Amino acid sequence: MRPDGPRDTVAGPEEGPRPPFPLKLNGKVIKGFGRGSSELGIPTANIPISGLSVGGHEDVESGVYYGWAGLSPSQAILQNPPGGQSNYGHLTSAVHQELNAVLSGKGPIDLQHHGAVYPMVMSIGWNPFYKNTVRSVEVHILHGFQTNFYDSHMNLVILGFIRPEYDYVSKESLVDDIKTDINVAGRSLARLAYAKFLDDPYLLDFKGKDEIAS
């Protein structure tokens, strides 16, 4: 069960990620359990994993992580480019402004040919509240989208660990913790030592990528 007490507002040291981070993972976006949007109001993009390896690491702890997500070109990113205004309502106004300042500093990108990079928070594990029988990778993009991007390819640069997986007494307490995760991820990524990974070439390198995460 989730321990009582206040949560930290950021995750990871100020000077930047420490090993094993950054971790890199990529895969084709597939339809998941269908709970993120319908039950929780927090949609996720799932990518399939083979076994328990995450970015070549077998010992990655189940839990909540944050970083940057590169999405291959699609109608979804053309309609909803990074930064600016979107119909996303889970960030506080202060965190939203901090992230937009980071994203606006990246300069123009040819979304139609290269794709786009967004801030993300993700879970790796079994989701004790729903008692999953398979380990999954579920990524929540910190941005509003009008259409889904199933079958797009997603490249992840994972920069830090937020918390372990917990079970919850209610769906409401789960949602409250996820919303806290979202803002912890946003604040953490807005720091200079983490924002610089927005320019990692890996994020927009979609050539020869397999459908199963690697």
Side-chain angles (χ1 to χ4, degrees), residues 15 19 38 47 62 72 75 103 115 131 138 162 170 197 203:
E15 63 270 20
S38 61
I47 57 176
S62 292
S72 61
Q75 193 63 33
L103 292 164
K131 297 177 173 56
E138 301 177 58
I162 295 178
S170 68
F197 285 90
L203 286 164

Side-chain angles (χ1 to χ4, degrees), residues 66-68 99 102 119-120 159 184-191 194-195:
Y66 66 94
W68 299 104
L99 274 179
V102 169
M120 66 85 181
L159 298 178
V184 170
R187 289 188 199 95
S188 301
L189 289 169
R191 296 174 296 175
Y194 295 81

